[in-house]
Structures are given as C-alpha cells and as structure tokens.
Amino acid sequence: MRPTLLFATLAALAPALTAQAPAIHTLLPVPASVAMNGARFPLDAGLTVAITGFRDGRLERAVGRALTRLEGRITVPLTRTYSADRAARLVINVARAGYPIPDVDEDESYTLDVSGEQAALTAPTVVGAIRGLETLLQLQAADGRGYFLQGTRIKDAPRFKWRGLLEDVGRHFEPVEQIKRTLDGMAMVKLNVFHWHLSEDQGFRVESRRYPRLHEMGSDGLYYTQAQIRDIVSYATDRGIRVVPEFDVPGHSTAWLVGYPELASVPGPFSISRTWGVLPDVMNPIKESTYRFLDGFIAEMALLFPDRYWHIGGDEVNPQQWKASPTIQVYMKAHGIKNEDAMQVAFNRRLFGILKAHGKEPVGWDEILQPDLPKAAVIQSWRGVNYLTEAAKQGRRAILSAPYYLDHIKLASEHYLADPLPANTDLTPAQQALILGGEACMWSEYVTPEIIESRIWPRLGAVAERFWSPREVNDVNDMYRRLEVTSRRLTEFGLTHESQTDAMIRRFAAGDDAALFSGLLEYARPRGFGLGPGANATQFTPLTRLMHAARTDPWNGWRMNDRARRAAGGDTAAVRGLREDFARMAQFRAGLEGVRDRIPMANDGMPVAGALLDLSRIGMQALEYVTRNATPAPVWRTTADSTLKAIEGKTFGQLRPIGAEAVRALVNAVPK
Ligand code: ACM
C-alpha cells in the first residue's frame, strides 16, 4: 500500500483504529494532555481567522505559513485577513512575544480547543502558538464530506526544554535549502535546537572576514556566506528554533590549520582531510596567539549566532602531538599540568573566559568532563548515558545524545525507548532538573545532500516525541502508526526521505526491474555505520550503492511484528498479510538473479535476498503450524532456530533483512 495523499492514508488507517479508545489521533509528538471529543470542525474557504491578543510579524508569518499548508491540503484559498473577532472560526490568542531570540527558557506551552464550531489556540508566547499551530495542522483529516479538523481539547508543554538535532556539515557540506527543509521538519515535530556542526578536519564551512583563509583554504569552496548564515538563523528564529553553532576545538580542527598553520601544535603544512577518524592534528594550547585568534574569531561569529550557547566540541582530542612536543611538555611541567587531559582543561578554561567575554555559555562533548572543569559548561553525552548522569551528579547541566546517533542506522523504536530520564533514574530531583534534554546527531561521514534526509527522517520524529511527550508515552506500535502519517506530512516541505529510494533506483533500473529493487528495499535496510569492512571510504566516495537508496527503517519491520503478534492470537487478516510478506520475501533472490547480467547493482542485493528467502521459508512454515494449531517434529524447531540465529542481527553485504523479529515471534508461537 502506498497512498499518495494524506487523506488516503488516514482513511486507510481509520477502520483498524476505531477499535481503540478514545478517538484516534495521529499527533506526533503526543501532547502532555489530549482528549479527543469526536467533533468535526469543517475546513473550507469560509474559514475566518482572528488574532485576538498580542501580535507581531513572527506570529503573523507563522499563521500565514500554517494557512498555506492547509490550503495545499484542502485545495481552496484561505483568508490572510486576521480580525480581532472572538467569534471567528479560528481564534489565536497569544499573551506576549516571549524572548525575541529563541531561548532555552522559553515558555512553549499552549492549549488547543477544537469543537464543531470553533478552533481556539491559546499560548503565553509566540513560540507556544507556533507549537500549537503544528498540532492544529496534525489534526487535519478528511472524509467523504471533505476536510476537517478532529475535535479535541489539548493542554500541552514539553517535557524537556532542549530538544535538538545536530547536523554535521563539515564532513559533507549541505546546501542552504537542505538546512531550511530540516528546520521546517524540526518545527513540525516541535524540536527547538539546531546544533550546527560547522567545522571539522574535512571542512570549515563559514565565511570569516577576519580570518578569510579559514573558508578560502579549508572548505573546497563549500561554505555558508555570512548573509546565508543570517538568513538561516532568522528562518530558524521564525520557527522557534535556536541555532547553536559548534566550532570543534582543539581537535577535529585540521581544516582551520590549512590556512592558519600557526594555530597547530606541529609545524605543518596541513591539508583538508579526506578520510575519517581521530586525526593527530590538535591546536596549540600554550601559545597566546591561539587564544588571540579564538577571541577574534568568536567576536566575529558571536554577531552571526545570537544564541547564548556556543558549542566548543572538545571531543576526541588526540594527545599524541602534545605528548611529542618538548615546548608543550615543558609548559605543562612549569604550570603543574599533570597530563594531556588536564592540558585540555586548561585550554577550556581560557576558552570559557573568551566565551564569557562575548556573552556565551559553553557546551562541550563529554570528554571535557574532567576534574577542575568550570561548572559553566553544559555537557553533551555521546559516549554513554553514564556521562550524562555523572555530569548531573557533579551539579552540571547536561544533554543526552548517546542513544540518538542517527548515523548508526538503528530502528526508530530503539531511539524511541531510550529515555534521558528513565523512571528508575537514581538522580535526585535537583539533579534531574539539570538534564536539559537531548539531541539526535546526524554525523556526515556517510551522508550527502542526496541521502541525508532519508537518514534523518522519519526516525527523528520518534526522538522528538521522546523529548517532548510524557515518559509514559512509550507504545512502540502506536508510535510507528503515527510516525507513518508524520513521515508523509513531512514531505510537505520538500523533504526527500520518501522519494529518494525510487529516485535512486530509477538511475540504474526501469519498469519491472525498478519495482523489483523497490520491493526488495521494503524488506531490507542499510547496514549500521559506514560502508562495511575494507571499504576505505573517503570524502569523495560516491554514496550511491543500494544501501544508500535503502530506507533506514522500512515500515514492513513494525508491520510484520504487529501482524505476527496478531496472527499468534488468531487474527486472519494478519495471517493473510504475513503470507503476502513471505511470498514477496521469497521472490527477490530469483528476481535479482534474473537481472544481474544487465544490472550490476543486483549484486548489492543478492546476499540479503538470500536471507529473506530463508526467513520466508521458516516464517511460512511457522505460520502454518500456528494457524493449524499443529505441533511440528522437534527437528523442525532446531533447524528453524539455527537458521534464524544465522540471520538475526546479521548484515548481508551492506544490507540487513527485515522480518527476523516477526519470524522469531511466530516460531515462538508454534505449539510445542
Ligand atoms: C562525537 O561523536 N565525536 C562527538
């Protein structure tokens, strides 16, 4: 099933869902409190709109954007005249502007009341209204009578105040339009921090007028002009999203050193790195000129990035050059600095002083969490949740990223179930208050502009819900049900995560051949991080293999799990669905064999097609035993088990099969 229109999706989902109580919504993230009331608020050209309280340009633009999106769905023009009439059909009431620049302490709450006659959105701040408008758009549905909003009473506010996405534009550059689409998608799922990783060993991506050799020599010409940065920051501000720049120092800094080798700990010369990993190049922490440079640089950049936080990086500092440098070692001895970790703390102290002078608070990766680190820094945990709790126990503010690395190509469900503050946390309430939230990370070793959106979306929606919704909202099946609808809604912004697979396949296959690959990628997903053993990828490696066309978390994964559960309970529709799954999974191997003499990409799919064939055989047999309530000979179970074990959690070429979990559930349900 691949409906092209949102209403078709909703209509298709509705019958299966009406059994659940109360009325079904497709909101993501789920609001703090929501009560569907069954009302139907018709959407048509007669929609009158009022802004009855505070209003400013930002609010009017947000209302205008929401109406434009609604128009696109209901296919009639809507008014752009906003009265102050409390009897209007859509009434928006905002108390005050809120922070002029999006702030970590912004009040993002809102209430939304939708009856058959009126939709009323009330918020203390403009950002609250922006969040509420997204909810309102998610209430849009359709039936035979036309378009409408589902009736509801919602009282909403986020669980965490820091809800972010990191995008690494250092390793692979991303154009302005890609960043803007990302910001649109983020706003839709109520994320509020765009963490922009702007410098790396492989690229320095911002125009600096003060130190022009940074972008001139460190970027291959792929950088944002200052006008583009201002444009993006203002685009984000309009959507209630903070932009936190990261200029990673003292490591991950090779691209700086190409134009300014005097910043380095060794003489150089340097060139932009084309490979990945922890490089040896590290800034020189004992030269005053390093700090003068950073001061001048931060002074310039502080004018471009108004957020009060500034990410210093601080991760993966290779100590080798500091260890090997006689001058640095002499300096360390003279200043009682006992090792390279302590040297980095001394560097950070100087850096924090500079940031403070420019009105900025530091954020850094968890390696900076060392004895004597000043309390000012927010710790971003990436190596493990333990660094988050350790930071909080030390009385420091912290954000969690470790379970939310999108480049590791985990399932949405895996990200979803990782909670920054699980119910069994051993942190005290005061320590819990120091956990500001979290960020998903889109590192870009293995993403290009063509595929980045399919790596971010729709899985980021699951993370967004984890950061916004109450902890108790954790039903994986229900999340996937709503994520599917959300994924289609996200395409409204031109995001390519849904269209990319077929677009890439079209380049090497057509007609029935394309359908074969497309079908395969409904049952296979990319291997984890990277291209696999021996790939030796560089910045120039084309990311155009079958694994790059693949969806990160194909819907058949959760659907088959759901069907297996229901089939074990005797649901005949689920049994029928699984039979169709297994029939499809069984055919890819022969199909690819039939085209491989014409289409070399078939070889990318052969190994996983073999695994799918094996899975389908066991699955079909298990299904028959379950439905006939028959007990197989013990040898069947032993064989099924060993075949399954050879597939579960395994990678075949550069792909992983979908369905092993469902087949395991069926095997477990077979009568003994
Ligand atoms: C990191 O992933 N090195 C922060």
Side-chain angles (χ1 to χ4, degrees), residues 450-451 500-510 513-514 516-518 520-521 524 531 542-550 588-589 591-609 652-655:
E450 179 174 40
I451 70 167
Q500 177 220 322
T501 298
D502 287 341
M504 288 182 84
I505 288 172
R506 207 166 293 138
R507 295 213 292 266
F508 59 81
D513 295 343
L516 169 67
F517 285 95
S518 185
L520 174 69
L521 295 185
L531 305 185
L543 301 181
T544 50
R545 300 275 299 264
L546 200 55
M547 70 168 285
H548 302 110
F588 298 125
R589 174 99 197 171
L592 292 174
E593 254 159 19
V595 301
R596 72 200 293 196
D597 61 342
R598 290 181 283 120
I599 305 177
M601 201 68 88
N603 293 312
D604 271 20
M606 290 296 285
V608 81
F652 296 82
Q654 293 177 317
L655 292 160

Side-chain angles (χ1 to χ4, degrees), residues 8 15 21 136 202 225 257 453 503 549 574:
L136 184 136
Q202 295 79 11
T225 65
L257 310 179
E453 286 164 7

Side-chain angles (χ1 to χ4, degrees), residues 403-404 412-420 422 462 466 473-476 479:
Y404 312 119
S413 54
E414 296 175 82
H415 296 305
Y416 188 63
L417 293 175
D419 196 308
R466 179 54 49 236
V473 176
N474 59 11
D475 178 335
V476 166
M479 177 275 288

Side-chain angles (χ1 to χ4, degrees), residues 18-31:
T18 40
Q20 294 181 23
I24 293 308
H25 64 71
T26 53
L27 303 174
L28 189 149
V30 168

Side-chain angles (χ1 to χ4, degrees), residues 28-169:
L28 189 149
V30 168
S33 152
V34 53
M36 304 303 283
N37 59 27
R40 185 183 185 285
F41 175 91
L43 287 169
D44 51 44
L47 184 75
T48 52
V49 182
I51 300 179
T52 56
F54 174 85
R55 72 157 79 183
D56 63 4
R58 186 155 70 134
L59 179 62
E60 287 180 5
R61 288 191 295 278
V63 174
R65 286 195 306 274
L67 293 177
T68 300
R69 286 162 64 195
L70 263 187
E71 283 172 333
R73 300 180 193 177
I74 72 176
T75 72
V76 293
L78 296 171
T79 180
R80 291 300 188 283
T81 308
Y82 311 129
S83 72
D85 178 4
R86 274 170 211 188
R89 301 212 23 250
L90 170 59
V91 177
I92 297 157
N93 185 280
V94 172
R96 59 178 196 277
Y99 289 91
I101 296 158
D103 192 276
V104 69
D105 290 324
E106 183 63 281
D107 185 339
E108 299 176 274
S109 68
Y110 68 93
T111 62
L112 186 55
D113 267 294
V114 182
S115 68
E117 292 71 46
Q118 193 174 55
L121 169 61
T122 309
T125 68
V126 171
V127 172
I130 289 171
R131 304 289 176 252
L133 284 166
E134 292 296 343
T135 306
L136 184 136
L137 285 162
Q138 293 178 12
L139 290 167
Q140 183 263 315
D143 61 15
R145 286 193 285 156
Y147 301 93
F148 63 95
L149 296 180
Q150 294 176 289
T152 189
R153 170 161 291 190
I154 287 169
K155 206 164 159 18
D156 203 6
R159 179 173 171 214
F160 292 106
K161 57 169 103 173
W162 190 306
R163 309 178 306 278
L165 169 71
L166 171 148
E167 203 172 300
D168 168 12
V169 295

Side-chain angles (χ1 to χ4, degrees), residues 252 315-316 365 382 405 443:
H252 284 288
D315 56 320
E316 299 181 315
W365 297 108
W382 75 278
Y405 266 41
W443 297 103

